[in-house]
Amino acid sequence: MTRDIVAMLRDLVSFDTQNPPGNEEPLVKYCNDFLSGLGFETQLIPVAPNRANLVAMWRPCTSLQDDQRQLVFSGHADTVPIGDPTLWHSPPLEISESDGKLYGRGSCDMKGSIAAFLAVAQNIATGTASIPGISKRPFTIILTADEEMGFRGITALTRQFSVPSVGGVIIGEPTRNIPGIGHKGVAWFQITFHGQAAHASRPDLGKNAILMATKFCERLMADWQASWSPLVHPLLGSPTINIGKITGGIKTNVVPERCDVWVDCRIVPPLEVTDLNHRFEEIARQVTKNVTITPDLVPSLAYSLPLDHPLVQISLKAARRESPQIFPAFTEASHYFHALKLPVVILGPGSIEQCHTTDEYVARSELEAAVGIYERCLKYFGDQIAQA
Ligand SMILES: [Zn+2]
């Protein structure tokens, strides 16, 4: 008996994969059992205790050469935290439907597209796919752990994944089913100013770390405006900066000894993380020598595909769209693109506006449409290889 896509989404959402701590393994095992039951060759790759990636390959024909290029559908199994569950209008780990919207944590980001991958797998394995002939096409479904926090799943995967058989990757992040062909890179920094404590009545005996930090912040923003804001990448636009957090001082009547500033930068080529590091250091040293700058996230690079790239054209035709979009947020596309040198398109049901929100939902119509779009991706991708 085949499973309905909404029933599968309901199952996926019922697994609590809020990250931290993630605990993706039970969900990944559920998908493993489902896909191996359909005839997929599956492999669970441990990432950390109770956390794993899944690689599930559809290899319909044993005579397939190892180097036959295939498409990968990739999704992350974790979600962001639910937050205060009493603010949700329905239980966040259950799917509830109203007005054509399916509510639940992860429904949009991105268990919806994982359910669509499973539906495609089921259609293909049972011979009920909308397009005749695609059952003979090899493809792979990959699920990763820890996308929302530290990218440990994709990092483990890119270290041991054999690339030659893969010709392209579709990441099912929510794009309202409009192909995304690039996004900015991201780098976070923690900048720590070390001052000297003193009694507030004798500030002349101390060194005020908060004042150092505020001076730094002003100079940083002025420098950014002059140096990096004018930089425009033809597809990705300009780099951006946000000073997101400052902590410093311990008490009103003490000269603060330490102040920390956290900065988020969204970068585009040719700007690189090392450029930022150097410039931040120069600006900080104009203020004080007692400063340390630490990367606060593994920096990740921007990626983009040209409009005329075959995978872009295939995904546009499959999604029945004229033009693609630039995805606003960072994704694992960067890892596939830079670490494995693979072309990647971001394409999935749901809207980025719903990601990480209370009462997150995916529209049922978009969820169901994604199945046909992914099946057409397989067809056009295979046609293109057959012609090549
Ligand atoms: Zn996501």
Side-chain angles (χ1 to χ4, degrees), residues 213-242:
T214 52
K215 205 182 275 182
F216 167 79
C217 290
E218 274 177 19
R219 290 187 185 187
L220 177 68
M221 294 312 288
D223 184 79
W224 189 276
Q225 282 301 337
S227 306
W228 309 124
S229 289
L231 188 74
V232 185
H233 182 276
L235 279 175
L236 303 175
S238 298
T240 59
I241 187 168
N242 181 54

Side-chain angles (χ1 to χ4, degrees), residues 76 109 147-148 173:
H76 63 81
D109 183 15
E147 192 270 350
E148 298 288 4
E173 291 280 6

Side-chain angles (χ1 to χ4, degrees), residues 76 78 108-110 147-148 173-174 327 330-331 355-356:
H76 63 81
D78 58 329
C108 171
D109 183 15
M110 54 181 283
E147 192 270 350
E148 298 288 4
E173 291 280 6
F327 196 61
F330 188 79
T331 73
C355 296
H356 306 187

Side-chain angles (χ1 to χ4, degrees), residues 57-381:
M57 291 181 289
W58 177 246
R59 304 187 63 159
C61 148
T62 45
S63 64
L64 270 182
Q65 289 168 0
D66 278 346
D67 63 356
Q68 176 157 3
R69 291 194 300 149
Q70 51 163 323
L71 201 55
V72 165
F73 294 102
S74 180
H76 63 81
D78 58 329
T79 69
V80 292
I82 285 163
D84 179 355
T86 64
L87 297 177
W88 288 65
H89 87 280
S90 61
L93 295 181
E94 293 169 22
I95 284 293
S96 75
E97 182 167 11
S98 81
D99 264 349
K101 296 169 181 164
L102 300 159
Y103 291 88
R105 174 53 90 224
S107 56
C108 171
D109 183 15
M110 54 181 283
K111 293 178 176 178
S113 61
I114 295 175
F117 298 161
L118 298 182
V120 170
Q122 176 174 256
N123 290 348
I124 281 178
T126 59
T128 54
S130 58
I131 305 163
I134 59 169
S135 296
K136 300 208 168 55
R137 302 268 157 82
F139 71 100
T140 293
I141 294 173
I142 292 178
L143 302 184
T144 58
D146 197 37
E147 192 270 350
E148 298 288 4
M149 288 280 289
F151 296 104
R152 277 185 284 172
I154 188 75
T155 305
L157 186 101
T158 51
R159 276 201 205 111
Q160 54 185 244
F161 194 58
S162 73
V163 194
S165 60
V166 179
V169 181
I170 305 277
I171 293 195
E173 291 280 6
T175 65
R176 304 209 72 171
N177 291 335
I178 301 168
I181 60 165
H183 58 59
K184 293 176 183 175
V186 61
W188 290 358
F189 298 94
Q190 178 180 354
I191 301 129
T192 306
F193 294 89
H194 306 278
Q196 195 177 324
H199 194 280
S201 65
R202 291 296 307 273
D204 54 302
L205 297 179
K207 286 184 186 140
N208 189 318
I210 290 180
L211 292 181
M212 294 175 191
T214 52
K215 205 182 275 182
F216 167 79
C217 290
E218 274 177 19
R219 290 187 185 187
L220 177 68
M221 294 312 288
D223 184 79
W224 189 276
Q225 282 301 337
S227 306
W228 309 124
S229 289
L231 188 74
V232 185
H233 182 276
L235 279 175
L236 303 175
S238 298
T240 59
I241 187 168
N242 181 54
I243 298 173
K245 184 174 148 187
I246 294 187
T247 63
I250 49 163
K251 215 164 175 285
T252 315
N253 60 358
V254 178
V255 174
E257 178 169 46
R258 175 179 172 139
C259 187
D260 290 274
V261 179
W262 284 267
V263 179
D264 172 309
C265 301
R266 303 294 161 128
I267 56 176
V268 302
L271 182 57
E272 298 209 5
V273 178
T274 45
D275 299 331
L276 294 179
N277 226 329
H278 288 147
R279 185 60 69 91
F280 286 11
E281 207 151 317
E282 270 171 34
I283 298 169
R285 297 216 179 276
Q286 289 167 15
V287 177
T288 175
K289 297 248 173 311
N290 295 321
V291 60
T292 47
I293 300 182
T294 337
D296 192 33
L297 177 80
V298 180
S300 298
L301 299 171
Y303 105 95
S304 63
L305 287 186
L307 279 172
D308 60 357
H309 191 283
L311 190 62
V312 174
Q313 292 304 315
I314 285 164
S315 61
L316 283 172
K317 194 169 152 197
R320 297 176 173 149
R321 294 281 177 172
E322 291 292 313
S323 43
Q325 62 175 324
I326 294 301
F327 196 61
F330 188 79
T331 73
E332 292 174 338
S334 176
H335 300 81
Y336 283 111
F337 186 81
H338 292 286
L340 298 181
K341 310 287 177 225
L342 290 171
V344 194
V345 161
I346 308 165
L347 177 60
S351 161
I352 185 81
E353 286 162 29
Q354 284 304 315
C355 296
H356 306 187
T357 59
T358 300
D359 288 338
E360 173 182 352
Y361 71 83
V362 66
R364 179 191 265 267
S365 58
E366 281 179 31
L367 180 70
E368 290 171 345
V371 179
I373 292 172
Y374 292 149
E375 289 182 4
R376 288 193 291 277
C377 282
L378 278 175
K379 169 169 170 53
Y380 300 143
F381 187 81

